[in-house]
Amino acid sequence: MKFFLNTGRTIKQGSFVERKNSPAYLEEASTLRMNPVDMMDLMVEDGDHVSVRSGVGEVVMRVRPNPGLARGRTFVCLGPYANHIVSPETHGTGMPDFKATMVIIEPTGNPVSSVAALMGSCGGVPYED
Amino acid sequence: MPGILIRNAFVIDPLSGVKGEVMDIAIRDGKIVEEASTDAVVIDAARCLTLPGGIDSHSHVCGTKVNFGRYMSPEDMRAGRTARKGVMHVTSGYSVPTTFGNSYRYSTMGYTTILEGAMAPLEARHTHEEFTATPHQDMLANTLFDGNWSIMEAVKEKDVKRAAAVVAWTLSAVKGFAIKLTNPGGTEAWGWGGDVNSIHDQVPHFGVTPAEIIGTMIQANELLNLPHSVHLHCNNLGVPGNYQTTLETIGLVPDLNRDRQSLYLTHVQFHSYGGSTWRDICSKSEDVARAVNNTPQVVMDMGQIMFGRTTTMTADGPMEFKLYMLHHNKWSNHDVELETGSGITPVYYGRKSLVNCVMWSIGLELALLAKNPWQCLLSTDNPNGAPFVKYPEIIALLMSRRFRENERKMIDPRTEHFVPLFAIERELDWYEIAVMTRAAQAKALGITRIGKGYLAPGAEADVAIFPLKPDEIDPSVDYQQVMAGFSRTRYTIKRGRVVARDGEVVVEGANSTIWTRANVPPAYDMSSDPEFTKKFEQYYTVRMRNYPVQDIYLPRGVRIDTEASL
Amino acid sequence: MKIEDVVCPFCGCLCDDLVVQVEGNRVVNVENGCTLANEKFMGDHRLETPIRRSGKKWERISYDEAIAETAGILLDADRPLLYGWSGTYGEAQTIGVHLAEVLGAVIDNTSTVCHGPSIMAIQEVGHPGCTLGQIKNRADVVIYWAANPIEAHPRHMSRYTTFADGFFVKNAFRERKVIVVDVRETDSSQIADEFVKVNPGGDYAILSALRAIVRGKRDIIPPNVEGVSREQLFRVAEICMAAKFGAIFFGVGLTMASGKYKNIRNAIELTEELNRHTKFTISPMRGHWNVYGSNEVFTWITGYPYAVDFARGIAFYNPGETTSVDILRRGECDACLVVASDPGAHFPRACAEHLARIPTIQIDPHVNATTHLSQIQIPVAVTGIDAEGTAYRMDGVPLRTRKLFQGSHPDDLEVLEKIYAIVREAKG
């Protein structure tokens, strides 16, 4: 299904922003909020994994219901998971479309990567502290 | 350090009574001395004009609104840029240059001391950070009190001593130099989008008038024995007919100080307009100059405008909004809680605008009609009237009637019906220019006591040697040469070191910041006053303990201590 | 030891009333702070020593080695990028700019992915703003537009707006109206007197509609504008025009959504329009602690608030060209120094991939996403905890942070000065 992906700050993201290798950060940054009716349509439940795909890439996240979101809209806190599928195009402004990515979301059995593994997939070398 | 011996200098040093003599100047350990050491470096001045280092007593170069002028104006940054070269950092900007840009350009024009015209106390730390990055001039900060709640409450209570105590605490906390009032009362009214329109209007809620604020602060200033007087930007800046406000304000000033004026009126050009609208605006420079001539206890600076682009910036928030409504160029505003305001908008002063031509004439008229050059200082209210790099052109206009006549042909032909400029024959001489660009500033600011503004033994060795030979050129005719000469010194010497040569800065600077501490008896120490500290507890958004500027921000602070008569 | 009036080093609010208890070189308790402040001060998980990537492994190295190697990489680069700066203090930022100048590098700060578009809008139309206390003492109407202060700036409402009593507004909660405009419901929208829920990307149209209403052109407004009813727009405009002092705060919901800087321009022009009727101000909700300070420092030295390119000797600025994301997207820079920020986490993936390809050096106290992409990381003291310096609040008020204890790490300034000294020496 097609969705609109928005990103932004959350208090949990801010709380763990200096501990990006921590399970708490991983959980917050990889959680995709979605309207519960859309979840029914997708046949996913709270905590299920979904594949989120945009024109520039794909990432696995965990889905969580949020009735405050309109249907067809999703929200992920800013961070490496959301940015994995955000285009670097800035339209001459320096600013990517962080809050306006069209994505296709499907259920998946694939695991959610750690931040280190995600950076590893970008060509980095995971550092485990 | 071996010191310097300047030979064959054509010296004008008004404060020492030297009116143009060929002589030597000896420098050692940063001071002017009787005799140079035997190993002193010799500079042959070759009968060139040699003056004390220039002092700008009213310029906007550092701090919150100046930096915002840069921030919002990439077009101005592009209009003046130089690459890194030798000891010189990259510079950008024409009307609001970067700090190093200001410092290098002033230095190559022979300026060694600058007073920043307006510092909001709450944001003082910012001004001091930029002072440190303006390394070739000693810096002083006028500190804004125009909308200060504690001051207005003291004025309401008619408690001059309390007002003085608030000033003493604040100057010491923010490392400020002097009291600045910008549109007193008007900046508080602007907190609600309003203004005051005469010196007798009431400030909303506080129930005081600009006249009462000005009167109280003049008294408080003298109770504290501060080096400078109250420094006033009058109400109604830029409004046709505002000369009445200016005359009324001059009429308020008592004569309270033997050594200097009791009130400094800044950028008076902007306050000398007749008429009632932009259509019938005319010069009232004659009335204002007459009042100044008859009131020896005031000093003014010109606030000359020059044709071209510039950026206006002032603590006078309501005025900037009015200017924005006229020009519809971009506009910024920044009110500062419990204290003051500010605004910024770029302008273009055009030769084809009759209003601008009238303004241009008025500034020159004030300087030509003021009988005593010690009462009228050269300024553009940089960058409001024009960037300071226009000073040499202003000097040339004041020294040459021919130059003024040539300009007359270039401007709106109706101008002469609205201004007396072209009937004035006076041409200023070298001595008068020396007074108006350094000696009178030092006297008005009260900084001769720390060796500023003169070249007698004991003075700070701040010297400017210009490529101008007064006995060979006639400024009345050779005004182009005058302009070129004042644009670029042969040598600028700051505290005994050659800092600039032929338009280039040659060393990394190390300036001082000059500030004032008025020592008050314990009963007048506001740091433990319940009403005063309550302001911080309840209304400021910064804790009282975090408000004062720490000593670390003044790596070479020079403190002038005074004993308050409280 | 209890230390009072501590300045928080997390967000752009720079709350300066924290009481922090320190034992040895650890913070053990924080009073008055929000969750973010508590986590920041109590955080106890720093990188201990400099580390270097060697093949697929990491090794510990000494500070001297790390600094020398960093300087070498920067000197070797044809087009280095120096990015970040918002989490450190002004004195360190100053050295950063001078380092960029000597190297002929590009220097950019986190505004580039935050309020960069706001700066571009301000450069077009200016910025009618004020200090936060002006709002606390006077505002009877506060608008949060595309911002969620409860999560991003948790004490903003209690210190400066909704719940902050002031001189002219004795009971803020009763006397002050709060309007929230957002594309989704948030904790902040739930406490608003008026919540305007707008379609994503619809802000520009809403702002235009409000401008038209304020100009007296009600009749041209269609029944529904981007999900908002005409009646609600009329109501919001009336609240604004009836205000004695109104204040708009806007978040990155405007800068990152489509329209970007044009949204901000429209919001500023609405503010300007309202000033013809009453008093109104507008302020960006600067997020990353001292990001505004990096704009200030960059500006007084170079003339530009961010994205400054020294490649041609002069300072050159052109957002979209000299901005970090664009430089990385084009694969243009051949070395990157990251200071006090985390582009690995906060830039699009394509940028992270380029950071991994080139030698990237990070100066930061903590392991973050950029760590995994780096060649070298140099840990430093945390500004505001064991390092002190100047920071600018979101409204431009500068404060000096306190050093709460002497830690075991050097601070940003010490490390940068050493790198700068080596580079200067090499460049003559």
Side-chain angles (χ1 to χ4, degrees):
Chain A
M1 274 170 69
K2 253 189 144 173
F3 286 88
F4 181 88
L5 175 72
N6 184 12
T7 67
R9 291 185 199 278
T10 67
I11 200 109
K12 250 181 108 182
Q13 169 266 333
S15 298
F16 294 96
V17 75
E18 292 182 343
R19 269 173 281 176
K20 292 213 176 73
N21 272 358
S22 69
Y25 182 80
L26 183 153
E27 186 183 319
E28 181 66 4
S30 64
T31 294
L32 176 95
R33 278 99 161 164
M34 185 184 277
N35 183 290
V37 181
D38 285 337
M39 283 176 66
M40 277 167 62
D41 280 359
L42 262 184
M43 292 194 292
V44 289
E45 295 195 3
D46 191 353
D48 284 358
H49 291 187
V50 288
S51 145
V52 186
R53 189 153 43 86
S54 73
V56 300
E58 192 248 337
V59 68
V60 177
M61 300 200 211
R62 236 180 306 265
V63 69
R64 177 135 301 162
N66 184 331
L69 285 164
R71 294 203 57 194
R73 314 246 177 93
T74 57
F75 178 89
V76 181
C77 82
L78 56 87
Y81 295 87
N83 282 324
H84 214 66
I85 50 173
V86 169
S87 162
E89 175 59 49
T90 77
H91 318 285
T93 67
M95 174 67 82
D97 297 323
F98 285 119
K99 286 181 177 285
T101 303
M102 292 310 297
V103 292
I104 292 169
I105 299 180
E106 288 165 349
T108 181
N110 292 336
V112 175
S113 302
S114 68
V115 172
L118 207 58
M119 292 299 115
S121 77
C122 293
V125 173
Y127 175 84
E128 309 287 349
D129 51 343
Chain B
M1 279 219 303
I4 298 173
L5 176 62
I6 306 170
R7 283 197 183 281
N8 286 317
F10 185 98
V11 177
I12 301 178
D13 177 7
L15 283 164
S16 311
V18 180
K19 300 193 173 181
E21 280 174 41
V22 177
M23 54 196 278
D24 297 348
I25 297 172
I27 295 169
R28 201 166 54 209
D29 299 327
K31 302 271 185 210
I32 309 285
V33 291
E34 294 284 358
E35 230 166 295
S37 58
T38 48
D39 58 348
V41 175
V42 176
I43 291 175
D44 181 6
R47 303 175 78 87
C48 282
L49 179 67
T50 301
L51 305 177
I55 301 174
D56 200 331
S57 56
H58 191 101
S59 179
H60 300 278
V61 284
C62 291
T64 308
K65 75 179 176 308
V66 177
N67 213 35
F68 210 84
R70 301 177 185 119
Y71 181 102
M72 69 188 270
S73 313
E75 72 285 2
D76 192 71
M77 296 306 108
R78 282 195 293 273
R81 53 191 186 187
T82 57
R84 190 185 161 82
K85 184 180 178 194
V87 296
M88 290 163 79
H89 289 290
V90 163
T91 76
S92 304
Y94 169 64
S95 66
V96 211
T98 50
T99 56
F100 292 104
N102 276 325
S103 196
Y104 300 154
R105 291 172 210 178
Y106 260 120
S107 189
T108 54
M109 287 168 55
Y111 276 81
T112 51
T113 304
I114 308 171
L115 176 129
E116 161 55 48
M119 172 173 84
L122 180 63
E123 295 165 335
R125 208 171 266 104
H126 183 163
T127 306
H128 287 288
E129 286 213 281
E130 288 196 35
F131 279 180
T132 308
T134 310
H136 294 289
Q137 288 77 29
D138 292 334
M139 306 299 292
L140 315 90
N142 263 350
T143 308
L144 294 158
F145 289 97
D146 37 78
N148 188 297
W149 290 4
S150 299
I151 291 290
M152 287 192 290
E153 286 165 5
V155 172
K156 175 88 183 158
E157 298 296 318
K158 304 201 185 310
D159 191 341
V160 179
K161 290 183 171 183
R162 187 172 173 86
V166 171
V167 170
W169 184 87
T170 308
L171 285 183
S172 173
V174 305
K175 311 282 190 278
F177 176 69
I179 298 173
K180 172 75 181 297
L181 302 175
T182 293
N183 184 5
T187 54
E188 166 57 31
W190 179 238
W192 301 113
D195 197 359
V196 290
N197 301 310
S198 90
I199 61 169
H200 302 299
D201 277 11
Q202 294 245 323
V203 181
H205 175 80
F206 289 92
V208 297
T209 66
E212 290 164 346
I213 299 174
I214 297 164
T216 305
M217 292 302 262
I218 291 174
Q219 304 277 351
N221 193 86
E222 299 313 316
L223 285 181
L224 294 172
N225 296 308
L226 298 180
H228 187 34
S229 67
V230 169
H231 194 115
L232 176 67
H233 155 145
C234 288
N235 303 98
N236 279 333
L237 184 149
V239 178
N242 65 6
Y243 80 109
Q244 292 285 10
T245 303
T246 310
L247 295 180
E248 277 186 86
T249 306
I250 293 172
L252 291 175
V253 187
D255 189 356
L256 299 179
N257 195 297
R258 275 182 308 137
D259 300 324
R260 55 144 170 81
Q261 76 286 351
S262 295
L263 183 69
Y264 181 107
L265 295 148
T266 190
H267 41 67
V268 173
Q269 175 277 128
F270 290 114
H271 303 273
S272 304
Y273 304 157
S276 53
T277 67
W278 293 111
R279 280 179 219 289
D280 65 355
I281 186 177
C282 62
S283 170
K284 286 289 176 185
S285 60
E286 287 167 314
D287 299 61
V288 173
R290 191 178 310 120
V292 171
N293 289 338
N294 292 334
T295 316
Q297 64 269 33
V298 301
V299 158
M300 63 175 164
D301 73 56
M302 294 164 69
Q304 176 65 22
I305 76 152
M306 296 297 278
F307 299 115
R309 267 193 84 81
T310 195
T311 308
T312 67
M313 50 178 63
T314 163
D316 194 344
M319 191 286 295
E320 289 287 353
F321 185 66
K322 284 180 211 157
L323 203 54
Y324 165 66
M325 298 299 272
L326 275 177
H327 292 277
H328 295 281
N329 210 324
K330 53 189 169 186
W331 165 62
S332 291
N333 177 75
H334 184 73
D335 299 349
V336 180
E337 63 205 58
L338 288 84
E339 292 178 352
T340 184
S342 71
I344 309 169
T345 192
V347 295
Y348 181 85
Y349 296 121
R351 283 186 163 86
K352 291 182 177 158
S353 154
L354 176 60
V355 171
N356 293 161
C357 293
V358 170
M359 293 164 74
W360 174 82
S361 305
I362 292 172
L364 297 173
E365 288 158 13
L366 289 170
L368 295 168
L369 294 171
K371 286 188 182 143
N372 178 359
W374 296 86
Q375 269 184 288
C376 182
L377 320 185
L378 190 143
S379 83
T380 59
D381 185 20
N382 168 69
N384 287 298
F388 63 84
V389 291
K390 294 278 193 181
Y391 289 177
E393 197 177 335
I394 299 169
I395 292 172
L397 285 163
L398 295 174
M399 296 185 88
S400 169
R401 189 167 183 215
R402 185 180 298 194
F403 188 15
R404 299 198 291 268
E405 284 301 318
N406 283 345
E407 285 294 294
R408 180 187 195 169
K409 295 172 200 147
M410 317 274 285
I411 63 175
D412 189 307
R414 295 169 295 174
T415 308
E416 59 197 56
H417 303 301
F418 297 89
V419 308
L421 178 66
F422 303 104
I424 303 173
E425 289 180 8
R426 186 172 172 198
E427 292 178 328
L428 300 188
D429 61 23
W430 301 107
Y431 174 81
E432 287 163 324
I433 295 299
V435 171
M436 291 173 67
T437 54
R438 47 264 291 153
Q441 276 84 352
K443 180 166 179 266
L445 295 175
I447 53 173
T448 52
R449 71 184 74 188
I450 55 166
K452 292 286 184 189
Y454 63 102
L455 296 174
E460 290 261 297
D462 296 349
V463 190
I465 307 174
F466 297 94
L468 290 165
K469 297 188 180 174
D471 45 11
E472 289 177 20
I473 57 174
D474 176 1
S476 174
V477 181
D478 307 322
Y479 55 85
Q480 293 287 1
Q481 241 175 295
V482 170
M483 222 185 313
F486 278 112
S487 299
R488 220 165 101 151
T489 59
R490 281 187 63 204
Y491 292 89
T492 302
I493 296 169
K494 169 86 189 347
R495 213 182 300 127
R497 248 184 354 152
V498 174
V499 290
R501 273 203 72 170
D502 300 322
E504 279 194 24
V505 167
V506 294
V507 292
E508 290 188 6
N511 62 346
S512 295
T513 296
I514 299 158
W515 61 288
T516 309
R517 187 175 72 182
N519 296 298
V520 297
Y524 291 95
D525 178 2
M526 298 309 281
S527 60
S528 50
D529 179 89
E531 267 302 307
F532 190 71
T533 51
K534 195 179 103 180
K535 296 272 183 306
F536 287 92
E537 295 294 330
Q538 296 188 3
Y539 307 127
Y540 271 110
T541 54
V542 167
R543 303 280 295 166
M544 192 168 178
R545 199 150 75 97
N546 290 328
Y547 186 92
V549 173
Q550 292 84 351
D551 292 336
I552 194 165
Y553 290 94
L554 287 79
R556 285 164 300 276
V558 173
R559 189 178 76 212
I560 298 178
D561 272 287
T562 71
E563 294 305 319
S565 315
L566 287 173
Chain C
M1 184 178 50
K2 244 186 186 182
I3 305 170
E4 294 191 346
D5 300 329
V6 171
V7 181
C8 175
F10 194 93
C11 83
C13 285
L14 260 77
C15 302
D16 73 334
D17 60 344
L18 275 53
V19 181
V20 174
Q21 196 160 355
V22 173
E23 274 174 19
N25 58 3
R26 265 190 66 211
V27 173
V28 294
N29 189 41
V30 182
E31 291 168 40
N32 296 344
C34 66
T35 312
L36 301 173
N38 292 348
E39 293 290 342
K40 174 98 194 178
F41 280 103
M42 306 284 286
D44 193 13
H45 35 268
R46 304 197 190 178
L47 182 61
E48 286 302 319
T49 65
I51 53 172
R52 176 172 59 199
R53 189 166 89 186
S54 145
K56 292 276 167 200
K57 286 211 174 62
W58 287 92
E59 60 191 15
R60 294 178 163 213
I61 53 172
S62 72
Y63 275 96
D64 287 345
E65 214 177 333
I67 285 165
E69 206 163 310
T70 299
I73 289 168
L74 292 173
L75 281 164
D76 225 27
D78 289 327
R79 188 149 176 76
L81 169 66
L82 315 186
Y83 173 75
W85 308 103
S86 302
T88 190
Y89 52 102
E91 294 77 357
Q93 292 163 349
T94 298
I95 298 295
V97 178
H98 291 319
L99 178 64
E101 215 186 322
V102 178
L103 287 167
V106 175
I107 186 162
D108 196 9
N109 53 56
T110 62
S111 306
T112 207
V113 289
C114 202
H115 278 285
S118 310
I119 294 170
M120 291 168 73
I122 288 166
Q123 291 174 339
E124 287 189 353
V125 291
H127 176 201
C130 61
T131 65
L132 291 163
Q134 192 77 345
I135 292 162
K136 165 186 148 119
N137 287 312
R138 295 175 202 260
D140 51 355
V141 172
V142 170
I143 302 175
Y144 285 103
W145 198 304
N148 181 12
I150 288 185
E151 303 226 35
H153 302 83
R155 294 183 70 209
H156 196 267
M157 286 179 155
S158 58
R159 268 177 68 81
Y160 308 123
T161 66
T162 322
F163 309 109
D165 297 340
F167 186 77
F168 295 104
V169 187
K170 301 284 184 218
N171 185 334
F173 189 62
R174 290 221 188 98
E175 297 172 38
R176 188 170 278 154
K177 275 209 161 59
V178 177
I179 301 171
V180 170
V181 185
D182 209 336
V183 296
R184 63 188 179 108
E185 284 169 35
T186 64
D187 289 350
S188 305
S189 73
Q190 276 162 19
I191 56 167
D193 297 292
E194 189 82 48
F195 174 41
V196 182
K197 193 171 178 182
V198 44
N199 290 337
D203 301 283
Y204 188 88
I206 301 290
L207 288 159
S208 299
L210 288 172
R211 284 177 69 190
I213 298 166
V214 174
R215 283 215 163 195
K217 300 202 160 85
R218 285 175 171 237
D219 46 334
I220 63 167
I221 308 297
N224 188 293
V225 182
E226 290 291 344
V228 183
S229 74
R230 177 163 60 194
E231 289 64 39
Q232 190 178 25
L233 290 171
F234 288 167
R235 201 160 61 232
V236 167
E238 275 156 20
I239 293 171
C240 290
M241 288 169 78
K244 287 207 277 290
F245 187 117
I248 301 173
F249 289 98
F250 65 96
V252 291
L254 280 189
T255 65
M256 292 175 174
S258 53
K260 305 249 161 58
Y261 68 101
K262 292 296 181 192
N263 296 331
I264 317 299
R265 177 181 172 140
N266 219 358
I268 293 171
E269 291 188 299
L270 169 65
T271 311
E272 176 274 306
E273 195 69 51
L274 284 162
N275 268 292
R276 295 164 193 243
H277 302 275
T278 179
K279 177 83 180 185
F280 244 85
T281 64
I282 183 166
S283 315
M285 296 286 281
R286 305 307 301 265
H288 193 161
W289 190 53
N290 188 27
V291 59
Y292 195 55
S294 66
N295 296 144
E296 295 278 13
V297 169
F298 281 29
T299 301
W300 79 62
I301 304 177
T302 76
Y304 308 102
Y306 71 115
V308 186
D309 183 354
F310 289 108
R312 278 155 277 191
I314 46 94
F316 178 84
Y317 162 80
N318 187 23
E321 180 192 349
T322 58
T323 25
S324 298
V325 169
D326 299 279
I327 286 171
L328 289 164
R329 171 175 64 87
R330 293 194 301 265
E332 197 172 291
C333 56
D334 58 348
C336 185
L337 176 69
V338 177
V339 180
S341 69
D342 188 6
H346 299 298
F347 281 5
R349 193 194 63 211
C351 301
E353 286 171 349
H354 190 67
L355 287 173
R357 270 195 293 272
I358 59 174
T360 294
I361 304 123
Q362 169 159 254
I363 300 178
D364 198 282
H366 305 107
V367 170
N368 59 25
T370 306
T371 305
H372 315 294
L373 306 172
S374 300
Q375 188 74 41
I376 293 171
Q377 179 165 352
I378 306 175
V380 282
V382 181
T383 302
I385 298 181
D386 47 337
E388 70 171 46
T390 314
Y392 286 73
R393 203 165 70 180
M394 60 166 70
D395 57 349
V397 171
L399 290 165
R400 185 170 187 82
T401 67
R402 287 175 210 290
K403 182 173 179 169
L404 306 176
F405 54 80
Q406 177 63 49
S408 49
H409 295 88
D411 63 29
D412 289 304
L413 183 62
E414 284 174 73
V415 170
L416 286 162
E417 275 184 332
K418 283 181 180 167
I419 296 170
Y420 182 50
I422 299 172
V423 168
R424 264 188 90 164
E425 167 103 32
K427 290 273 182 184

